Structure formats: C-alpha cells, structure tokens
Amino acid sequence: MNSAILQTGYFVIAGILILVGIAGAVVPILPGVPLVFGGMLLAAWADGFQHIGAFTLIVLGILAALALLVDFVAGVLGAKRVGASTRALWGASIGMLVGFFFGLPGLLLGPFLGAVAGELSAGKKLDHATRVGIGTWIGLLFGTLAKLALCFTMLGVFALAFLIA
C-alpha cells in the first residue's frame, strides 16, 4: 500500500479520535481527554514527529493530566463544599452513568438525582440533600467546562506547533 495513503489513513483516525475525545469531554462514558491526547500522538507519529516534537507532546500530556485532575477535583469539591456524604458522591457517579442511557436530560439530571438519593440514603433531610445535589451538579458542570477548555487548549497548542514547525 502506498505510504501516503497509509499516512492519510492515520491522520483520519487521529482526527476521529480527537473529535470523539472532545465529545467524550462531555459524555461521561467516553474517556475524552485520553482520546484527544491519543489522537494527537497518533497524528504526530504519522507525521514522523516532524511538526510535533517531544516538547509539544510533554505540554499536551501535562494539559491532559491537568484536565483529568480538574474533572475529578471539581465534582468532589462542589459536593464537599455543601457537606456531601460519601454516599452522595457515589450516588452522583451512579446517576451520571445511568443518566447516560437517557440522553441529554439524563446526563443533566442523573448526577443531581443520584447525589440527592445518596444523601437521603445517608439519613439526611430533603433540603440538605437538595443543596448537596445542586452543589454536586455545579461542581460537575464546572469540571466539564474546564475539561472542555483544556481539550480546546490542547487542540490550539497542537495546531500552533504543527503550523509553525
């Protein structure tokens, strides 16, 4: 097979990985940030690392690690800030996973309802459980927005490095 065709195929796969990864930054089932980084690494490799070198890959790796950290910490901090129990955190996680099967409404309501249910199962009152649900949801929202922003920052760093090399 012609190497140019093969290289083009690698670039197409890399682009698909990046697009699916950006979607995965919002959809909790998909490993969004690792897919974005993997797509960029594949594109750099397909190009023989002529445009994207070690320094750029290290910067992209740091941004990817930061995105994963922010995503995790934001949800936990949002929940803990309003006094969430461990059950509320588990409930929010389960609610997010179950919500995935109900489309966008499920993704939006699942973590909230899961956190409320978890807090109620811990013996808390409804008003407290509702505050925990809202705090958890806001934390997850900010985490998702930060993760998306970091994914687009990665895309910008990659594009800039590719264009100026």
Side-chain angles (χ1 to χ4, degrees), residues 85-122:
S85 67
T86 304
R87 286 186 181 192
L89 296 176
W90 277 104
S93 299
I94 293 168
M96 189 182 317
L97 292 174
V98 171
F100 174 76
F101 297 105
F102 296 97
L104 185 59
L107 288 173
L108 293 175
L109 290 175
F112 169 77
L113 294 174
V116 169
E119 202 65 12
L120 289 173
S121 77

PDB file of all heavy atoms in Angstrom, residues 85-122:
ATOM      1  N   SER A  85     -22.094  13.679  51.729  1.00  0.00           N
ATOM      2  CA  SER A  85     -21.564  12.451  52.306  1.00  0.00           C
ATOM      3  C   SER A  85     -20.923  11.612  51.207  1.00  0.00           C
ATOM      4  O   SER A  85     -21.071  11.900  50.017  1.00  0.00           O
ATOM      5  CB  SER A  85     -22.694  11.655  52.964  1.00  0.00           C
ATOM      6  OG  SER A  85     -23.597  11.190  51.969  1.00  0.00           O
ATOM      7  N   THR A  86     -20.245  10.557  51.598  1.00  0.00           N
ATOM      8  CA  THR A  86     -19.661   9.638  50.631  1.00  0.00           C
ATOM      9  C   THR A  86     -20.753   9.003  49.775  1.00  0.00           C
ATOM     10  O   THR A  86     -20.574   8.788  48.577  1.00  0.00           O
ATOM     11  CB  THR A  86     -18.853   8.544  51.359  1.00  0.00           C
ATOM     12  OG1 THR A  86     -17.870   9.187  52.181  1.00  0.00           O
ATOM     13  CG2 THR A  86     -18.159   7.624  50.384  1.00  0.00           C
ATOM     14  N   ARG A  87     -21.884   8.738  50.375  1.00  0.00           N
ATOM     15  CA  ARG A  87     -22.995   8.154  49.625  1.00  0.00           C
ATOM     16  C   ARG A  87     -23.481   9.096  48.527  1.00  0.00           C
ATOM     17  O   ARG A  87     -23.877   8.651  47.459  1.00  0.00           O
ATOM     18  CB  ARG A  87     -24.147   7.801  50.556  1.00  0.00           C
ATOM     19  CG  ARG A  87     -23.878   6.585  51.395  1.00  0.00           C
ATOM     20  CD  ARG A  87     -25.099   6.211  52.172  1.00  0.00           C
ATOM     21  NE  ARG A  87     -24.838   5.055  53.005  1.00  0.00           N
ATOM     22  CZ  ARG A  87     -25.774   4.379  53.623  1.00  0.00           C
ATOM     23  NH1 ARG A  87     -27.037   4.745  53.502  1.00  0.00           N
ATOM     24  NH2 ARG A  87     -25.466   3.347  54.368  1.00  0.00           N
ATOM     25  N   ALA A  88     -23.464  10.389  48.806  1.00  0.00           N
ATOM     26  CA  ALA A  88     -23.887  11.361  47.788  1.00  0.00           C
ATOM     27  C   ALA A  88     -22.923  11.345  46.603  1.00  0.00           C
ATOM     28  O   ALA A  88     -23.339  11.429  45.448  1.00  0.00           O
ATOM     29  CB  ALA A  88     -23.975  12.759  48.385  1.00  0.00           C
ATOM     30  N   LEU A  89     -21.629  11.224  46.894  1.00  0.00           N
ATOM     31  CA  LEU A  89     -20.639  11.161  45.812  1.00  0.00           C
ATOM     32  C   LEU A  89     -20.838   9.907  44.974  1.00  0.00           C
ATOM     33  O   LEU A  89     -20.783   9.957  43.736  1.00  0.00           O
ATOM     34  CB  LEU A  89     -19.222  11.212  46.387  1.00  0.00           C
ATOM     35  CG  LEU A  89     -18.846  12.501  47.110  1.00  0.00           C
ATOM     36  CD1 LEU A  89     -17.451  12.367  47.718  1.00  0.00           C
ATOM     37  CD2 LEU A  89     -18.914  13.679  46.175  1.00  0.00           C
ATOM     38  N   TRP A  90     -21.062   8.788  45.641  1.00  0.00           N
ATOM     39  CA  TRP A  90     -21.330   7.545  44.905  1.00  0.00           C
ATOM     40  C   TRP A  90     -22.635   7.666  44.116  1.00  0.00           C
ATOM     41  O   TRP A  90     -22.730   7.224  42.978  1.00  0.00           O
ATOM     42  CB  TRP A  90     -21.403   6.353  45.866  1.00  0.00           C
ATOM     43  CG  TRP A  90     -20.058   5.804  46.205  1.00  0.00           C
ATOM     44  CD1 TRP A  90     -19.370   5.975  47.369  1.00  0.00           C
ATOM     45  CD2 TRP A  90     -19.231   5.010  45.366  1.00  0.00           C
ATOM     46  NE1 TRP A  90     -18.159   5.342  47.311  1.00  0.00           N
ATOM     47  CE2 TRP A  90     -18.050   4.734  46.077  1.00  0.00           C
ATOM     48  CE3 TRP A  90     -19.357   4.506  44.078  1.00  0.00           C
ATOM     49  CZ2 TRP A  90     -17.013   3.985  45.561  1.00  0.00           C
ATOM     50  CZ3 TRP A  90     -18.327   3.752  43.560  1.00  0.00           C
ATOM     51  CH2 TRP A  90     -17.171   3.501  44.294  1.00  0.00           C
ATOM     52  N   GLY A  91     -23.633   8.264  44.733  1.00  0.00           N
ATOM     53  CA  GLY A  91     -24.916   8.442  44.058  1.00  0.00           C
ATOM     54  C   GLY A  91     -24.788   9.303  42.815  1.00  0.00           C
ATOM     55  O   GLY A  91     -25.382   9.007  41.773  1.00  0.00           O
ATOM     56  N   ALA A  92     -23.997  10.375  42.906  1.00  0.00           N
ATOM     57  CA  ALA A  92     -23.791  11.248  41.744  1.00  0.00           C
ATOM     58  C   ALA A  92     -23.088  10.486  40.625  1.00  0.00           C
ATOM     59  O   ALA A  92     -23.442  10.621  39.442  1.00  0.00           O
ATOM     60  CB  ALA A  92     -22.981  12.474  42.142  1.00  0.00           C
ATOM     61  N   SER A  93     -22.101   9.672  40.972  1.00  0.00           N
ATOM     62  CA  SER A  93     -21.387   8.887  39.959  1.00  0.00           C
ATOM     63  C   SER A  93     -22.311   7.874  39.295  1.00  0.00           C
ATOM     64  O   SER A  93     -22.318   7.736  38.063  1.00  0.00           O
ATOM     65  CB  SER A  93     -20.203   8.156  40.596  1.00  0.00           C
ATOM     66  OG  SER A  93     -19.298   9.076  41.139  1.00  0.00           O
ATOM     67  N   ILE A  94     -23.093   7.188  40.101  1.00  0.00           N
ATOM     68  CA  ILE A  94     -24.030   6.207  39.550  1.00  0.00           C
ATOM     69  C   ILE A  94     -25.104   6.910  38.724  1.00  0.00           C
ATOM     70  O   ILE A  94     -25.469   6.465  37.637  1.00  0.00           O
ATOM     71  CB  ILE A  94     -24.650   5.353  40.679  1.00  0.00           C
ATOM     72  CG1 ILE A  94     -23.565   4.480  41.310  1.00  0.00           C
ATOM     73  CG2 ILE A  94     -25.810   4.501  40.158  1.00  0.00           C
ATOM     74  CD1 ILE A  94     -23.971   3.819  42.610  1.00  0.00           C
ATOM     75  N   GLY A  95     -25.568   8.053  39.218  1.00  0.00           N
ATOM     76  CA  GLY A  95     -26.566   8.823  38.480  1.00  0.00           C
ATOM     77  C   GLY A  95     -26.051   9.297  37.134  1.00  0.00           C
ATOM     78  O   GLY A  95     -26.787   9.332  36.149  1.00  0.00           O
ATOM     79  N   MET A  96     -24.769   9.635  37.085  1.00  0.00           N
ATOM     80  CA  MET A  96     -24.169  10.059  35.824  1.00  0.00           C
ATOM     81  C   MET A  96     -24.138   8.896  34.836  1.00  0.00           C
ATOM     82  O   MET A  96     -24.477   9.048  33.660  1.00  0.00           O
ATOM     83  CB  MET A  96     -22.753  10.588  36.058  1.00  0.00           C
ATOM     84  CG  MET A  96     -22.143  11.248  34.845  1.00  0.00           C
ATOM     85  SD  MET A  96     -20.448  11.842  35.087  1.00  0.00           S
ATOM     86  CE  MET A  96     -20.496  12.594  36.676  1.00  0.00           C
ATOM     87  N   LEU A  97     -23.744   7.731  35.319  1.00  0.00           N
ATOM     88  CA  LEU A  97     -23.679   6.558  34.445  1.00  0.00           C
ATOM     89  C   LEU A  97     -25.064   6.133  33.956  1.00  0.00           C
ATOM     90  O   LEU A  97     -25.260   5.859  32.780  1.00  0.00           O
ATOM     91  CB  LEU A  97     -22.996   5.394  35.162  1.00  0.00           C
ATOM     92  CG  LEU A  97     -21.515   5.577  35.448  1.00  0.00           C
ATOM     93  CD1 LEU A  97     -20.985   4.423  36.288  1.00  0.00           C
ATOM     94  CD2 LEU A  97     -20.729   5.705  34.165  1.00  0.00           C
ATOM     95  N   VAL A  98     -26.032   6.100  34.858  1.00  0.00           N
ATOM     96  CA  VAL A  98     -27.396   5.726  34.479  1.00  0.00           C
ATOM     97  C   VAL A  98     -27.994   6.791  33.564  1.00  0.00           C
ATOM     98  O   VAL A  98     -28.672   6.485  32.581  1.00  0.00           O
ATOM     99  CB  VAL A  98     -28.271   5.503  35.732  1.00  0.00           C
ATOM    100  CG1 VAL A  98     -29.736   5.337  35.369  1.00  0.00           C
ATOM    101  CG2 VAL A  98     -27.773   4.296  36.522  1.00  0.00           C
ATOM    102  N   GLY A  99     -27.720   8.045  33.872  1.00  0.00           N
ATOM    103  CA  GLY A  99     -28.246   9.148  33.072  1.00  0.00           C
ATOM    104  C   GLY A  99     -27.795   9.108  31.628  1.00  0.00           C
ATOM    105  O   GLY A  99     -28.504   9.587  30.727  1.00  0.00           O
ATOM    106  N   PHE A 100     -26.635   8.532  31.386  1.00  0.00           N
ATOM    107  CA  PHE A 100     -26.115   8.422  30.023  1.00  0.00           C
ATOM    108  C   PHE A 100     -27.116   7.731  29.103  1.00  0.00           C
ATOM    109  O   PHE A 100     -27.258   8.106  27.936  1.00  0.00           O
ATOM    110  CB  PHE A 100     -24.782   7.657  30.039  1.00  0.00           C
ATOM    111  CG  PHE A 100     -24.249   7.384  28.668  1.00  0.00           C
ATOM    112  CD1 PHE A 100     -23.661   8.393  27.936  1.00  0.00           C
ATOM    113  CD2 PHE A 100     -24.343   6.122  28.112  1.00  0.00           C
ATOM    114  CE1 PHE A 100     -23.170   8.145  26.662  1.00  0.00           C
ATOM    115  CE2 PHE A 100     -23.859   5.864  26.844  1.00  0.00           C
ATOM    116  CZ  PHE A 100     -23.268   6.881  26.117  1.00  0.00           C
ATOM    117  N   PHE A 101     -27.828   6.758  29.618  1.00  0.00           N
ATOM    118  CA  PHE A 101     -28.764   5.985  28.805  1.00  0.00           C
ATOM    119  C   PHE A 101     -30.058   6.750  28.509  1.00  0.00           C
ATOM    120  O   PHE A 101     -30.895   6.286  27.747  1.00  0.00           O
ATOM    121  CB  PHE A 101     -29.074   4.646  29.476  1.00  0.00           C
ATOM    122  CG  PHE A 101     -27.865   3.780  29.596  1.00  0.00           C
ATOM    123  CD1 PHE A 101     -27.230   3.619  30.823  1.00  0.00           C
ATOM    124  CD2 PHE A 101     -27.333   3.153  28.483  1.00  0.00           C
ATOM    125  CE1 PHE A 101     -26.093   2.830  30.931  1.00  0.00           C
ATOM    126  CE2 PHE A 101     -26.197   2.369  28.582  1.00  0.00           C
ATOM    127  CZ  PHE A 101     -25.575   2.198  29.808  1.00  0.00           C
ATOM    128  N   PHE A 102     -30.209   7.919  29.099  1.00  0.00           N
ATOM    129  CA  PHE A 102     -31.408   8.728  28.883  1.00  0.00           C
ATOM    130  C   PHE A 102     -31.100  10.016  28.135  1.00  0.00           C
ATOM    131  O   PHE A 102     -31.858  10.982  28.198  1.00  0.00           O
ATOM    132  CB  PHE A 102     -32.087   9.024  30.228  1.00  0.00           C
ATOM    133  CG  PHE A 102     -32.598   7.786  30.901  1.00  0.00           C
ATOM    134  CD1 PHE A 102     -31.835   7.154  31.887  1.00  0.00           C
ATOM    135  CD2 PHE A 102     -33.808   7.229  30.545  1.00  0.00           C
ATOM    136  CE1 PHE A 102     -32.286   6.004  32.503  1.00  0.00           C
ATOM    137  CE2 PHE A 102     -34.270   6.077  31.155  1.00  0.00           C
ATOM    138  CZ  PHE A 102     -33.511   5.457  32.132  1.00  0.00           C
ATOM    139  N   GLY A 103     -29.962  10.034  27.456  1.00  0.00           N
ATOM    140  CA  GLY A 103     -29.612  11.189  26.629  1.00  0.00           C
ATOM    141  C   GLY A 103     -29.250  12.413  27.450  1.00  0.00           C
ATOM    142  O   GLY A 103     -28.878  12.320  28.621  1.00  0.00           O
ATOM    143  N   LEU A 104     -29.408  13.568  26.824  1.00  0.00           N
ATOM    144  CA  LEU A 104     -29.026  14.821  27.461  1.00  0.00           C
ATOM    145  C   LEU A 104     -29.782  15.084  28.767  1.00  0.00           C
ATOM    146  O   LEU A 104     -29.154  15.472  29.764  1.00  0.00           O
ATOM    147  CB  LEU A 104     -29.208  15.993  26.482  1.00  0.00           C
ATOM    148  CG  LEU A 104     -28.730  17.350  26.970  1.00  0.00           C
ATOM    149  CD1 LEU A 104     -27.243  17.311  27.309  1.00  0.00           C
ATOM    150  CD2 LEU A 104     -29.008  18.408  25.918  1.00  0.00           C
ATOM    151  N   PRO A 105     -31.109  14.850  28.810  1.00  0.00           N
ATOM    152  CA  PRO A 105     -31.784  15.063  30.107  1.00  0.00           C
ATOM    153  C   PRO A 105     -31.207  14.169  31.211  1.00  0.00           C
ATOM    154  O   PRO A 105     -31.050  14.612  32.354  1.00  0.00           O
ATOM    155  CB  PRO A 105     -33.248  14.700  29.821  1.00  0.00           C
ATOM    156  CG  PRO A 105     -33.406  14.881  28.353  1.00  0.00           C
ATOM    157  CD  PRO A 105     -32.075  14.536  27.760  1.00  0.00           C
ATOM    158  N   GLY A 106     -30.877  12.939  30.867  1.00  0.00           N
ATOM    159  CA  GLY A 106     -30.293  12.031  31.847  1.00  0.00           C
ATOM    160  C   GLY A 106     -28.917  12.481  32.299  1.00  0.00           C
ATOM    161  O   GLY A 106     -28.572  12.365  33.480  1.00  0.00           O
ATOM    162  N   LEU A 107     -28.116  13.004  31.360  1.00  0.00           N
ATOM    163  CA  LEU A 107     -26.784  13.493  31.716  1.00  0.00           C
ATOM    164  C   LEU A 107     -26.857  14.712  32.622  1.00  0.00           C
ATOM    165  O   LEU A 107     -25.999  14.917  33.471  1.00  0.00           O
ATOM    166  CB  LEU A 107     -25.992  13.835  30.451  1.00  0.00           C
ATOM    167  CG  LEU A 107     -25.522  12.650  29.620  1.00  0.00           C
ATOM    168  CD1 LEU A 107     -24.904  13.129  28.316  1.00  0.00           C
ATOM    169  CD2 LEU A 107     -24.523  11.814  30.399  1.00  0.00           C
ATOM    170  N   LEU A 108     -27.898  15.517  32.426  1.00  0.00           N
ATOM    171  CA  LEU A 108     -28.045  16.710  33.251  1.00  0.00           C
ATOM    172  C   LEU A 108     -28.662  16.399  34.619  1.00  0.00           C
ATOM    173  O   LEU A 108     -28.231  16.948  35.631  1.00  0.00           O
ATOM    174  CB  LEU A 108     -28.903  17.751  32.521  1.00  0.00           C
ATOM    175  CG  LEU A 108     -28.281  18.345  31.263  1.00  0.00           C
ATOM    176  CD1 LEU A 108     -29.274  19.265  30.559  1.00  0.00           C
ATOM    177  CD2 LEU A 108     -26.996  19.096  31.588  1.00  0.00           C
ATOM    178  N   LEU A 109     -29.657  15.526  34.630  1.00  0.00           N
ATOM    179  CA  LEU A 109     -30.365  15.240  35.879  1.00  0.00           C
ATOM    180  C   LEU A 109     -29.775  14.079  36.674  1.00  0.00           C
ATOM    181  O   LEU A 109     -29.930  14.034  37.896  1.00  0.00           O
ATOM    182  CB  LEU A 109     -31.837  14.939  35.585  1.00  0.00           C
ATOM    183  CG  LEU A 109     -32.678  16.122  35.121  1.00  0.00           C
ATOM    184  CD1 LEU A 109     -34.083  15.666  34.744  1.00  0.00           C
ATOM    185  CD2 LEU A 109     -32.737  17.186  36.205  1.00  0.00           C
ATOM    186  N   GLY A 110     -29.116  13.143  36.011  1.00  0.00           N
ATOM    187  CA  GLY A 110     -28.601  11.952  36.680  1.00  0.00           C
ATOM    188  C   GLY A 110     -27.707  12.233  37.875  1.00  0.00           C
ATOM    189  O   GLY A 110     -27.959  11.709  38.975  1.00  0.00           O
ATOM    190  N   PRO A 111     -26.654  13.061  37.710  1.00  0.00           N
ATOM    191  CA  PRO A 111     -25.789  13.332  38.867  1.00  0.00           C
ATOM    192  C   PRO A 111     -26.531  14.020  40.009  1.00  0.00           C
ATOM    193  O   PRO A 111     -26.303  13.707  41.172  1.00  0.00           O
ATOM    194  CB  PRO A 111     -24.712  14.250  38.292  1.00  0.00           C
ATOM    195  CG  PRO A 111     -24.717  13.991  36.838  1.00  0.00           C
ATOM    196  CD  PRO A 111     -26.127  13.643  36.481  1.00  0.00           C
ATOM    197  N   PHE A 112     -27.419  14.942  39.665  1.00  0.00           N
ATOM    198  CA  PHE A 112     -28.193  15.638  40.694  1.00  0.00           C
ATOM    199  C   PHE A 112     -29.072  14.656  41.463  1.00  0.00           C
ATOM    200  O   PHE A 112     -29.037  14.601  42.699  1.00  0.00           O
ATOM    201  CB  PHE A 112     -29.053  16.732  40.050  1.00  0.00           C
ATOM    202  CG  PHE A 112     -30.072  17.312  40.984  1.00  0.00           C
ATOM    203  CD1 PHE A 112     -29.695  18.223  41.955  1.00  0.00           C
ATOM    204  CD2 PHE A 112     -31.400  16.931  40.907  1.00  0.00           C
ATOM    205  CE1 PHE A 112     -30.638  18.754  42.837  1.00  0.00           C
ATOM    206  CE2 PHE A 112     -32.342  17.460  41.778  1.00  0.00           C
ATOM    207  CZ  PHE A 112     -31.955  18.370  42.747  1.00  0.00           C
ATOM    208  N   LEU A 113     -29.851  13.855  40.723  1.00  0.00           N
ATOM    209  CA  LEU A 113     -30.754  12.904  41.375  1.00  0.00           C
ATOM    210  C   LEU A 113     -29.985  11.841  42.156  1.00  0.00           C
ATOM    211  O   LEU A 113     -30.399  11.445  43.249  1.00  0.00           O
ATOM    212  CB  LEU A 113     -31.665  12.244  40.338  1.00  0.00           C
ATOM    213  CG  LEU A 113     -32.661  13.182  39.648  1.00  0.00           C
ATOM    214  CD1 LEU A 113     -33.412  12.444  38.546  1.00  0.00           C
ATOM    215  CD2 LEU A 113     -33.613  13.782  40.663  1.00  0.00           C
ATOM    216  N   GLY A 114     -28.856  11.408  41.611  1.00  0.00           N
ATOM    217  CA  GLY A 114     -28.038  10.419  42.304  1.00  0.00           C
ATOM    218  C   GLY A 114     -27.472  10.958  43.608  1.00  0.00           C
ATOM    219  O   GLY A 114     -27.459  10.266  44.633  1.00  0.00           O
ATOM    220  N   ALA A 115     -27.005  12.214  43.583  1.00  0.00           N
ATOM    221  CA  ALA A 115     -26.464  12.820  44.800  1.00  0.00           C
ATOM    222  C   ALA A 115     -27.564  13.001  45.844  1.00  0.00           C
ATOM    223  O   ALA A 115     -27.354  12.728  47.035  1.00  0.00           O
ATOM    224  CB  ALA A 115     -25.814  14.165  44.478  1.00  0.00           C
ATOM    225  N   VAL A 116     -28.735  13.424  45.391  1.00  0.00           N
ATOM    226  CA  VAL A 116     -29.860  13.589  46.321  1.00  0.00           C
ATOM    227  C   VAL A 116     -30.238  12.239  46.924  1.00  0.00           C
ATOM    228  O   VAL A 116     -30.403  12.110  48.145  1.00  0.00           O
ATOM    229  CB  VAL A 116     -31.072  14.241  45.615  1.00  0.00           C
ATOM    230  CG1 VAL A 116     -32.321  14.177  46.493  1.00  0.00           C
ATOM    231  CG2 VAL A 116     -30.755  15.687  45.242  1.00  0.00           C
ATOM    232  N   ALA A 117     -30.349  11.218  46.075  1.00  0.00           N
ATOM    233  CA  ALA A 117     -30.710   9.882  46.567  1.00  0.00           C
ATOM    234  C   ALA A 117     -29.653   9.356  47.539  1.00  0.00           C
ATOM    235  O   ALA A 117     -29.986   8.779  48.581  1.00  0.00           O
ATOM    236  CB  ALA A 117     -30.880   8.913  45.401  1.00  0.00           C
ATOM    237  N   GLY A 118     -28.377   9.574  47.210  1.00  0.00           N
ATOM    238  CA  GLY A 118     -27.306   9.129  48.099  1.00  0.00           C
ATOM    239  C   GLY A 118     -27.360   9.829  49.442  1.00  0.00           C
ATOM    240  O   GLY A 118     -27.170   9.207  50.494  1.00  0.00           O
ATOM    241  N   GLU A 119     -27.634  11.115  49.412  1.00  0.00           N
ATOM    242  CA  GLU A 119     -27.696  11.878  50.661  1.00  0.00           C
ATOM    243  C   GLU A 119     -28.914  11.464  51.490  1.00  0.00           C
ATOM    244  O   GLU A 119     -28.835  11.344  52.707  1.00  0.00           O
ATOM    245  CB  GLU A 119     -27.735  13.373  50.326  1.00  0.00           C
ATOM    246  CG  GLU A 119     -27.294  14.265  51.431  1.00  0.00           C
ATOM    247  CD  GLU A 119     -25.837  14.121  51.837  1.00  0.00           C
ATOM    248  OE1 GLU A 119     -25.035  13.486  51.134  1.00  0.00           O
ATOM    249  OE2 GLU A 119     -25.493  14.636  52.917  1.00  0.00           O
ATOM    250  N   LEU A 120     -30.049  11.228  50.828  1.00  0.00           N
ATOM    251  CA  LEU A 120     -31.241  10.763  51.538  1.00  0.00           C
ATOM    252  C   LEU A 120     -31.004   9.388  52.159  1.00  0.00           C
ATOM    253  O   LEU A 120     -31.463   9.116  53.272  1.00  0.00           O
ATOM    254  CB  LEU A 120     -32.456  10.727  50.602  1.00  0.00           C
ATOM    255  CG  LEU A 120     -33.008  12.091  50.177  1.00  0.00           C
ATOM    256  CD1 LEU A 120     -34.093  11.912  49.121  1.00  0.00           C
ATOM    257  CD2 LEU A 120     -33.541  12.861  51.383  1.00  0.00           C
ATOM    258  N   SER A 121     -30.266   8.522  51.444  1.00  0.00           N
ATOM    259  CA  SER A 121     -29.985   7.183  51.987  1.00  0.00           C
ATOM    260  C   SER A 121     -29.045   7.249  53.188  1.00  0.00           C
ATOM    261  O   SER A 121     -28.975   6.316  53.968  1.00  0.00           O
ATOM    262  CB  SER A 121     -29.396   6.273  50.897  1.00  0.00           C
ATOM    263  OG  SER A 121     -28.047   6.580  50.663  1.00  0.00           O
ATOM    264  N   ALA A 122     -28.333   8.363  53.322  1.00  0.00           N
ATOM    265  CA  ALA A 122     -27.461   8.559  54.477  1.00  0.00           C
ATOM    266  C   ALA A 122     -28.226   9.154  55.656  1.00  0.00           C
ATOM    267  O   ALA A 122     -27.631   9.499  56.684  1.00  0.00           O
ATOM    268  CB  ALA A 122     -26.283   9.459  54.101  1.00  0.00           C
TER     269      ALA A 122
END
